[in-house]
Amino acid sequence: MRKYVIINSDEVSSVDFNKVEETSENTLRYSLDNSQTFVKYEGAKPGFLYGKDTYTHSEILAVLSGDEWTSDEPI
């Protein structure tokens, strides 16, 4: 089952992209203020994510639909 973890943007340099679904820093989605992003993984939680909250798919969708991640402004 795929799991999701929100990290601070200044932690992106510690991400081992061989252990998450994203392929590079360029494929991450950031919060509107660019202070946070998230990664997804399957299987065992990668060590660099220990101590961080883990979300299910439905939980992360609820977070990402919030004001910090989704703008009401037209594109």
Side-chain angles (χ1 to χ4, degrees), residues 4-61:
Y4 303 80
V5 176
I6 294 173
I7 61 172
N8 292 326
S9 296
D10 61 3
E11 297 173 299
V12 169
S13 61
S14 70
V15 173
D16 181 347
F17 287 99
N18 293 313
K19 296 184 177 181
V20 295
E21 300 289 316
E22 293 73 22
T23 56
S24 74
E25 184 176 346
N26 297 327
T27 61
L28 296 172
R29 176 181 169 186
Y30 288 85
S31 59
L32 294 177
D33 67 1
N34 289 314
S35 67
Q36 294 182 313
T37 186
F38 66 95
V39 293
K40 51 189 174 288
Y41 68 92
E42 291 193 29
K45 188 175 194 175
F48 63 89
L49 296 175
Y50 286 178
K52 302 199 173 297
D53 292 337
T54 301
Y55 298 86
T56 65
H57 185 250
S58 60
E59 290 170 335
I60 199 72
L61 287 179

